[in-house]
Amino acid sequence: MILRRDVPFAQVVVPDHPELDRGTLRALIRQAGLSVDEFLRLMRG
């Protein structure tokens, strides 16, 4: 899956698997410009 936002431009390619390896997830979080703590806060809502 390709996740994209236009302003400011960012694009992350996420593998479409039922489960992601921990290292892959951390790399995706880093590519999105987030810290792990920020990501967890966003996931909790």
Side-chain angles (χ1 to χ4, degrees):
M1 292 184 285
I2 300 173
L3 304 177
R4 177 183 162 172
R5 90 173 157 224
D6 291 325
V7 179
F9 179 79
Q11 182 170 299
V12 178
V13 179
V14 180
D16 189 15
H17 299 269
E19 203 171 293
L20 294 177
D21 183 71
R22 182 181 304 162
T24 302
L25 180 57
R26 284 184 180 270
L28 292 169
I29 292 168
R30 189 171 39 250
Q31 286 176 25
L34 299 170
S35 70
V36 173
D37 289 336
E38 290 171 316
F39 175 79
L40 291 174
R41 266 196 312 276
L42 290 168
M43 290 299 295
R44 292 183 187 126

